[in-house]
Amino acid sequence: DVKVTQSSRYLVKRTGEKVFLECVQDMDHENMFWYRQDPGLGLRLIYFSYDVKMKEKGDIPEGYSVSREKKERFSLILESASTNQTSMYLCASSLGVGWEQFFGPGTRLTVL
Amino acid sequence: TQLLEQSPQFLSIQEGENLTVYCNSSSVFSSLQWYRQEPGEGPVLLVTVVTGGEVKKLKRLTFQFGDARKDSSLHITAAQPGDTGLYLCAGEGGSYIPTFGRGTSLIVHP
């Protein structure tokens, strides 16, 4: 059974903290994505990666960075968390362009 | 960035009713996907359409891709409470970056 897992379902952090969100896929997929989901705004792409050590900015990369050292793992980093980064964060992977995206269950991050 | 407009944004209906959700764009997409997301979970793919005019059926769900590949619709016949969720369309226009609509939130009351 194919799977995308995220390190935490719920996370509470304080303003200014460095936050790491981890995502692992077991499908040997080339592409991995990080989205944030907010009510009324849908899914907005933060960063994506089409290969190990490769990354591209999405629509809203400000305040975030990513790391992909291994094919199966894609990490999202909030260098200095702020309250406007409170959101649901979804990781996804796909075999290639135009292929189905498989999503993780999401991490609901609250920044106080 | 290509934009996908979904309508309606919210739908609240009774069990047994029919409904249609729309996904429209001014851009052409090489493929379009529909996902359903249940509360507390990530989206799950329902269908991918790739050919203009294509119609696909998945039990009570019928998906159509417009002839010009700029729009799509999802029709649910005799909705059931288990259909409740957020329905998202996503278009792929040739880049690595899929474009998602904002979603239609459906509630089906028993």
Side-chain angles (χ1 to χ4, degrees):
Chain A
D1 200 16
V2 296
K3 208 171 236 189
V4 177
T5 56
Q6 295 184 229
S7 49
S8 305
R9 293 297 297 266
Y10 300 94
L11 211 51
V12 179
K13 295 291 182 180
R14 297 219 172 263
T15 301
E17 281 192 77
K18 191 167 186 175
V19 182
F20 293 88
L21 302 182
E22 302 282 336
C23 175
V24 178
Q25 51 98 1
D26 65 0
M27 296 165 281
D28 201 33
H29 283 172
E30 301 292 332
N31 300 337
M32 295 189 75
F33 307 83
W34 273 107
Y35 296 91
R36 64 176 283 176
Q37 184 175 31
D38 301 287
L41 296 179
L43 269 68
R44 292 182 291 168
L45 183 65
I46 304 171
Y47 268 96
F48 72 100
S49 168
Y50 53 89
D51 201 352
V52 175
K53 297 191 186 293
M54 305 301 289
K55 58 186 179 185
E56 292 289 338
K57 293 180 180 179
D59 297 320
I60 52 164
E62 295 78 22
Y64 304 94
S65 62
V66 290
S67 172
R68 194 167 180 201
E69 296 297 318
K70 292 185 178 181
K71 191 175 186 179
E72 67 271 18
R73 190 178 298 268
F74 193 34
S75 303
L76 180 69
I77 303 148
L78 286 66
E79 296 291 341
S80 177
S82 63
T83 55
N84 63 12
Q85 292 179 310
T86 291
S87 186
M88 169 70 88
Y89 289 87
L90 289 164
C91 174
S93 72
S94 72
L95 186 61
V97 174
W99 287 75
E100 172 183 4
Q101 289 194 60
F102 291 85
F103 285 85
T107 296
R108 186 165 291 283
L109 172 67
T110 302
V111 183
L112 302 175
Chain B
T1 303
Q2 298 169 303
L3 295 176
L4 275 170
E5 299 287 339
Q6 278 190 249
S7 61
Q9 190 175 356
F10 300 101
L11 262 180
S12 179
I13 62 172
Q14 294 297 127
E15 183 175 2
E17 291 185 33
N18 301 331
L19 65 115
T20 302
V21 175
Y22 299 94
C23 178
N24 296 298
S25 175
S26 57
S27 302
V28 175
F29 291 98
S30 54
S31 67
L32 196 137
Q33 298 171 336
W34 284 94
Y35 291 81
R36 180 169 68 207
Q37 184 179 18
E38 298 185 10
E41 301 295 332
V44 175
L45 182 72
L46 295 172
V47 78
T48 299
V49 286
V50 295
T51 305
E54 182 176 5
V55 177
K56 280 192 174 179
K57 292 194 175 187
L58 191 67
K59 295 183 182 178
R60 294 175 294 100
L61 279 60
T62 301
F63 304 86
Q64 186 162 9
F65 201 13
D67 291 339
R69 290 185 287 128
K70 294 182 178 181
D71 56 271
S72 182
S73 64
L74 157 61
H75 182 78
I76 301 179
T77 303
Q80 299 177 359
D83 296 326
T84 292
L86 180 69
Y87 289 81
L88 294 157
C89 63
E92 201 287 303
S95 70
Y96 286 100
I97 307 176
T99 300
F100 278 85
R102 295 188 177 187
T104 293
S105 181
L106 171 66
I107 299 175
V108 182
H109 301 278

